[in-house]
């Protein structure tokens, strides 16, 4: 309790030697400040300091937790309660702060307190880029120090980007009562929404939903999954390891353990996609996670139960629903039995008879609307999903389930059409019923369009059904935009490049034209499975700017095209491919395709075999001498053995070196003759190029000889990057 300012000064004058003015001069300003802070005010206005609890010093943390426990998550929320203490009853408090307190779970107790003790009189929620100097999610608001149920006025500027628009739109809202971004909301109506997010913009229809719905957590509790504590050690993209060492579709941990397999599918969020997909990762969970659990115990000796880190193990391998954790649009997907899940791949496990109904709701427009009410930030938390309102209509369950299953099946077919799916069977343009690639592509276009339109039609119908069930016909339409459909339409350039990738896979033995799916993912290759189109027997395919080898990558590709589509339309098919890749000037189609293999194929391969958040993981390795492109060849990592590098050096590098030397000798001999000036210049240019290439080969030969002599072994379980690094001096750089 502070003393009155005048009484304190009298005390100072009587107790302190007035001849000693130093102490008096030091104390007086402090007493004056204390007097100011002890008063109660009609208006309190502040832009308080922002500091999250994790940055508090131990002393500050203890003080705030002792005195402002409802607002302990951030310094600015503690100041809300300080300002209340400074204000008189029925007085006003004006603040500008981040708006996280309006929505996030960590502020829910503060929101409850404000509803009954410090209601909002008015609030403006600014757009994220409202200030030129910084991008901050802030709001400015006035609170009233009263226990009355106040009807506040709210202005939402999030649809008006740019600092120049914020004051203009605010003034417009103040002068025009009918603008559609201005709202009125009684404070205690926030109680109708679980955890009381201050979603002031919701209509009466949405309020009614919260009155009659049950929360999703009544049907299934969203669960966060495993934190491996060492993703580099325990996580891989599925195509890195030996495919035979992955166990799919385990029904439970006992079945997974009994399989003796090391790797298991792993849900880890990923890009925006609905219904099915983003199945990119696997986790090392050998022998029921024995090694992983042991690591957790060593890292955290104070944790008695590894369940604190490796969460919800009882839910592993069950089928369920997962969603992307960080996204403006939340992509919700079905996954079958056999998955373990990550923190970023949080999952939900409803009963089978409700699973598809709930998935349909979560993929509908309503899901996004309700999440915007519960938490309009980038991070969709498990608690937000748990609080989604569910109205389960038994009469519509069968129909909704049918539509949802169709969407899952179509989305799975779409996902599996690309070789980055573990259920990929064959390339969609490898169509034995037609003899031209253009015909095969047109068939594929039709198929993709049918898939797309069917999913769009189903999603519109699902939106319609859920809008009716929730009674929101006046609040939201069932229409959706094409960009919201995550089924892929055909793309000619993408499809031709992926056809080339598939052809290379057939050359190296990963795929075959005689059997579907992945054929070989280790050094044990069965050549009997490649009768239609021969697999390369030494796992080395040269890539050259001219035809120095009879079995280089272009020659093998030409044979592939003839094998798949026949010889009658071979030239037409080569032209179609070259035109799609971008044939230049006077190039022949073969020259354009050769240029693609030399300049772009490997970069495309690295990009193709990459996953968001994990980077590029090429499975075909390009051995390259350097910038002059004197020597290149490609090899399939999974077929690697210790004889590969010596064979590349002796049978391919030295052979092309001999070819260059022979050509150079011929050029040198020609340059001794009387030649036309232009012919002489061309020969001299070619001479200089060959000399520089031979120099590059000489340097490269020393490097590759050093590696060859080491007879290096690799372990596929270590992943692409760990193994790639062993040969980085002789491999192309991953850009």
């Amino acid at each position: 309790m502070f003393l009155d300012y005048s009484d304190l000064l009298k005390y100072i004058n009587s107790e302190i030697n007035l001849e000693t003015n130093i102490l008096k001069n030091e104390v007086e300003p402090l007493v004056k400040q204390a007097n100011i802070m002890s008063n109660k005010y009609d208006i309190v206005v502040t832009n308080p300091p922002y500091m999250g609890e994790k940055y508090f010093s131990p002393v500050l943390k203890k003080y705030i937790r002792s005195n402002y426990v409802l607002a302990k998550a951030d310094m600015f929320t503690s100041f809300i309660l300080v300002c209340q203490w400074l204000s008189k009853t029925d007085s006003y408090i004006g603040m500008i702060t981040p708006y996280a307190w309006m929505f996030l779970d960590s502020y829910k107790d503060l929101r409850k307190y404000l509803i009954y003790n410090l209601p909002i009189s008015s609030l403006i929620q600014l757009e994220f880029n409202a200030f030129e100097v910084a991008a901050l999610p802030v709001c400015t608001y006035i609170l009233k120090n009263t226990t009355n149920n106040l009807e506040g006025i709210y202005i939402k500027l999030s649809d008006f980007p740019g600092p120049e628009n914020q004051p203009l739109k605010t003034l417009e809202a103040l002068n025009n009562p009918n603008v559609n971004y201005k709202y009125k909301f009684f404070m205690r109506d926030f109680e109708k929404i679980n955890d009381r997010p201050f979603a002031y913009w919701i209509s009466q229809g949405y309020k009614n939903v919260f009155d009659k719905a049950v929360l999703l957590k009544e049907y299934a509790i969203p669960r966060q999954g495993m934190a491996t504590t060492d993703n580099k050690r325990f996580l891989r993209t599925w195509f890195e390891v030996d495919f035979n060492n992955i166990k799919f579709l385990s029904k439970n941990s006992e079945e997974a353990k009994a399989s003796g397999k090391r790797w298991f599918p792993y849900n880890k969020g990923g890009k925006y996609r609905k219904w099915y997909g983003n199945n990119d990762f696997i986790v090392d969970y050998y022998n029921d996670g024995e090694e992983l659990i042991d690591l957790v115990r060593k890292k955290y000796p104070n944790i008695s139960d590894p369940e604190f880190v490796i969460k919800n193990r009882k839910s592993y391998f069950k089928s369920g629903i997962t969603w992307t954790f960080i996204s403006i649009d939340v992509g919700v997907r079905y996954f079958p039995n056999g998955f373990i899940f990550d923190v970023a791949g949080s999952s939900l496990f409803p009963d089978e008879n409700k699973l598809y109904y709930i998935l349909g709701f979560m993929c509908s427009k309503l899901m996004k609307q309700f999440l915007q009410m519960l938490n309009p930030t980038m991070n969709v938390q498990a608690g937000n999903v748990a609080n989604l309102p569910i109205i389960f209509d038994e009469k519509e369950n069968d129909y909704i389930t049918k539509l949802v299953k169709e969407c899952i099946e179509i989305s799975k077919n779409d996902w599996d059409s690309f070789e980055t799916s573990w259920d990929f069977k064959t390339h969609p343009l490898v169509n034995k019923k037609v003899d031209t690639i253009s015909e095969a592509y047109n068939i594929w276009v039709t198929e993709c369009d049918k898939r797309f339109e069917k999913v769009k039609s189903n999603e519109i119908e699902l939106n319609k059904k859920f809008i009716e069930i929730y009674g929101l016909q006046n609040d939201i339409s069932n229409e959706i935009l094409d960009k919201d459909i995550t089924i892929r339409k055909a793309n000619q350039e993408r499809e031709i490049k992926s056809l080339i990738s598939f052809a290379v896979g057939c050359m190296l033995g990963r795929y075959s034209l005689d059997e579907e799916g992945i054929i070989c993912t280790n050094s044990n290759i069965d050549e009997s499975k490649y009768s239609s189109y021969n697999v390369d027997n030494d796992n080395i395919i040269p890539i050259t700017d001219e035809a120095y080898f009879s079995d280089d990558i272009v020659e093998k590709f030409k044979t592939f095209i003839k094998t798949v589509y026949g010889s009658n339309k071979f030239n037409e098919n080569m032209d179609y491919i070259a035109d799609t890749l971008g044939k230049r000037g006077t190039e022949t189609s073969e020259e354009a395709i050769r240029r693609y293999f030399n300049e772009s194929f490997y970069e495309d391969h690295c990009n193709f075999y990459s996953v968001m958040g994990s980077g590029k993981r090429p499975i075909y390795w390009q051995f390259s001498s350097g910038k002059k492109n004197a020597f290149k060849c490609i090899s399939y990592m999974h077929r690697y053995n210790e004889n590969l590098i010596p064979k590349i050096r002796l049978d391919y590098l030295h052979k092309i070196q001999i070819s260059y030397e022979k050509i150079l000798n011929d050029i040198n001999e020609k340059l001794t003759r009387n030649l036309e000036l232009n012919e002489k210049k061309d020969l001299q240019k070619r001479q200089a190029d060959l000399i520089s290439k031979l120099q590059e080969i000489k340097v490269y030969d020393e490097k590759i000889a050093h590696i060859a002599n080491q007879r290096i072994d690799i372990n596929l379980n270590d992943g692409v990057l760990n193994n790639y690094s062993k040969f980085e001096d002789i491999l192309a750089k991953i850009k």
Side-chain angles (χ1 to χ4, degrees), residues 169-208:
K169 288 297 180 179
T170 300
L171 290 172
E172 182 182 348
L174 294 176
N175 294 322
N176 183 355
N178 298 318
V179 295
N180 61 5
Y181 56 94
K182 182 178 180 180
Y183 307 88
K184 291 184 178 181
F185 207 96
F186 277 101
M187 200 68 176
R188 289 181 192 169
D189 280 351
F190 290 128
E191 281 281 15
K192 296 179 179 180
I193 312 173
N194 198 60
D195 286 345
R196 308 167 194 88
F198 285 0
Y200 53 83
W201 59 88
I202 69 172
S203 67
Q204 187 59 48
Y206 284 106
K207 292 179 189 177
N208 294 338

Side-chain angles (χ1 to χ4, degrees), residues 429 431 434-441 565 569 572-573 576:
L429 299 191
N431 188 330
V434 299
D435 58 1
T436 65
I437 298 173
S438 61
E439 288 178 274
Y441 178 70
Y565 303 101
K569 300 291 183 69
E572 182 180 334
N573 286 326
Y576 187 85

Side-chain angles (χ1 to χ4, degrees), residues 104-299:
L104 296 188
D105 184 69
S106 51
Y107 301 100
K108 63 183 179 183
D109 292 334
L110 174 65
R111 289 196 292 272
K112 182 175 182 180
Y113 179 81
L114 297 181
I115 286 170
Y116 292 99
N117 299 282
L118 209 58
I120 294 171
S121 172
S122 61
L123 180 145
I124 302 172
Q125 184 177 337
L126 299 172
E127 192 266 334
F128 193 79
N129 295 295
F131 299 100
E132 291 184 8
V133 293
L136 294 171
V138 298
C139 58
T140 179
Y141 49 95
I142 296 172
L143 308 171
K144 187 172 184 180
N145 194 357
T146 180
T147 57
N148 294 334
N149 182 22
L150 209 63
E151 184 181 41
I153 297 173
Y154 300 81
I155 298 172
K156 193 171 189 285
L157 300 178
S158 55
D159 292 333
F160 310 108
E164 68 283 355
N165 285 321
Q166 305 297 289
L168 297 177
K169 288 297 180 179
T170 300
L171 290 172
E172 182 182 348
L174 294 176
N175 294 322
N176 183 355
N178 298 318
V179 295
N180 61 5
Y181 56 94
K182 182 178 180 180
Y183 307 88
K184 291 184 178 181
F185 207 96
F186 277 101
M187 200 68 176
R188 289 181 192 169
D189 280 351
F190 290 128
E191 281 281 15
K192 296 179 179 180
I193 312 173
N194 198 60
D195 286 345
R196 308 167 194 88
F198 285 0
Y200 53 83
W201 59 88
I202 69 172
S203 67
Q204 187 59 48
Y206 284 106
K207 292 179 189 177
N208 294 338
V209 168
F210 285 106
D211 280 338
K212 62 186 178 182
V214 299
L215 301 181
L216 178 57
K217 62 186 174 184
E218 299 296 323
Y219 293 111
I221 298 173
R223 301 190 183 280
Q224 287 188 333
M226 173 192 297
T228 69
T229 75
D230 190 346
N231 280 354
K232 287 185 178 179
R233 179 173 172 182
F234 291 103
L235 287 194
R236 299 285 181 268
T237 48
W238 71 267
F239 43 78
E240 295 184 76
V241 308
D242 183 345
F243 191 71
N244 299 312
N245 205 13
I246 307 174
K247 178 66 172 81
F248 298 100
L249 301 175
S250 299
K251 292 184 174 59
N252 49 54
S253 58
E254 291 78 15
E255 183 179 319
K257 184 177 180 180
S259 73
K261 300 291 180 73
R262 177 168 293 278
W263 301 98
F264 299 86
Y266 192 65
N267 272 329
K268 193 175 167 57
K271 60 187 178 182
Y272 174 58
R273 183 176 173 87
K274 292 188 288 188
W275 303 115
Y276 184 92
N278 286 0
N279 301 332
D280 299 310
F281 289 96
I282 50 176
V283 63
D284 184 348
Y285 202 68
Y286 177 71
N287 200 24
D288 210 24
E290 179 180 65
E291 187 177 343
L292 201 157
I293 292 168
D294 183 59
L295 176 66
V296 168
R297 284 183 171 138
K298 287 177 180 176
K299 275 190 171 184

Side-chain angles (χ1 to χ4, degrees), residues 460-486:
I460 290 172
E461 180 65 11
L462 285 166
N463 283 335
K464 178 174 178 288
K465 281 296 174 186
F466 281 111
I467 289 168
E468 290 172 355
I469 291 167
Y470 279 69
L472 294 171
Q473 294 90 333
N474 295 327
D475 297 280
I476 186 171
S477 78
N478 64 335
E479 292 302 314
I480 53 177
L481 301 175
D482 282 0
K483 69 179 182 66
D484 297 319
I485 307 299
T486 56

Side-chain angles (χ1 to χ4, degrees), residues 552-600:
D552 72 6
I553 200 163
V554 175
E555 291 303 317
K556 285 182 176 291
F557 183 68
K558 288 160 61 178
T559 303
F560 174 86
I561 295 300
K562 290 177 182 177
T563 303
V564 174
Y565 303 101
S567 299
N568 290 339
K569 300 291 183 69
F570 172 72
N571 290 334
E572 182 180 334
N573 286 326
M574 290 289 283
D575 291 343
Y576 187 85
I577 293 168
D579 290 340
T580 303
L581 294 175
K583 189 161 60 173
R584 298 175 183 170
T586 59
E587 276 184 330
T588 66
S589 293
E590 183 174 328
E591 287 170 342
I593 292 168
R594 186 175 292 278
R595 176 173 51 79
Y596 172 74
F597 276 117
N598 264 287
E599 296 179 0
S600 304

Side-chain angles (χ1 to χ4, degrees), residues 520-525 527 536-540 621 623 635-649 707-716 723 726-727 730:
C520 176
T521 60
N522 56 45
S523 58
N524 300 316
I525 189 162
E527 294 190 16
D536 189 81
N537 58 7
D538 63 7
N539 189 29
I540 303 166
W621 289 359
F623 293 83
S635 180
Y636 181 21
M637 176 187 84
H638 293 69
R639 286 180 60 194
Y640 173 89
N641 61 49
E642 61 183 18
N643 297 318
L644 181 75
I645 308 300
K647 192 169 185 61
I648 289 174
R649 178 174 180 253
I707 299 292
N709 291 334
Q710 295 180 56
R711 314 289 287 187
I712 296 171
D713 194 15
I714 71 170
N715 185 339
L716 293 176
N723 287 311
K726 298 176 182 179
F727 308 95
I730 59 173

Side-chain angles (χ1 to χ4, degrees), residues 322-486:
T322 189
W323 56 92
T324 300
F325 187 81
I326 300 176
S327 179
I328 296 172
D329 293 309
V330 182
V332 186
R333 299 173 298 281
Y334 167 81
F335 61 92
N337 291 104
F339 281 79
I340 295 171
F341 52 102
D342 182 86
V343 173
S346 299
S347 299
L348 190 71
F349 303 93
D351 291 341
E352 181 76 12
N353 67 328
K354 292 184 173 62
L355 186 152
Y356 299 102
Y357 184 99
I358 291 172
L359 175 61
F361 165 76
M362 294 178 74
C363 284
S364 73
K365 290 176 72 173
L366 295 188
M367 164 81 160
K368 184 176 180 180
Q369 294 297 313
F370 285 115
L371 283 178
Q372 283 291 309
M373 298 170 196
L374 296 171
N375 179 9
T377 68
M378 289 289 285
N379 290 339
V380 178
Q381 300 169 337
N384 303 133
V385 176
N387 289 330
L388 287 168
I390 297 293
I391 301 175
F392 189 82
D393 188 334
E394 190 68 53
K395 299 190 300 297
E396 298 288 357
N397 186 27
D398 287 346
Y399 181 57
I400 287 172
T401 295
K402 172 182 172 294
L403 295 175
V404 169
K405 285 184 174 181
E406 288 174 354
C407 290
I408 294 170
E409 181 182 5
I410 294 169
S411 187
K412 185 180 188 308
N413 289 337
D414 169 65
W415 181 259
D416 294 342
S417 297
F418 295 82
E419 64 181 71
T420 44
S421 165
W422 56 57
D423 285 325
F424 173 77
K425 290 181 172 55
T426 192
H427 194 275
L429 299 191
V430 176
N431 188 330
K432 297 177 182 178
K433 296 179 181 179
V434 299
D435 58 1
T436 65
I437 298 173
S438 61
E439 288 178 274
Y441 178 70
N442 290 334
I443 292 169
W444 175 240
V445 169
T446 301
E447 184 177 340
C448 288
D449 287 348
K450 285 175 64 177
R451 287 177 181 173
F452 188 94
E453 293 304 324
K454 178 59 177 172
V455 168
K456 183 176 181 180
S457 172
N458 279 15
E459 289 195 20
I460 290 172
E461 180 65 11
L462 285 166
N463 283 335
K464 178 174 178 288
K465 281 296 174 186
F466 281 111
I467 289 168
E468 290 172 355
I469 291 167
Y470 279 69
L472 294 171
Q473 294 90 333
N474 295 327
D475 297 280
I476 186 171
S477 78
N478 64 335
E479 292 302 314
I480 53 177
L481 301 175
D482 282 0
K483 69 179 182 66
D484 297 319
I485 307 299
T486 56

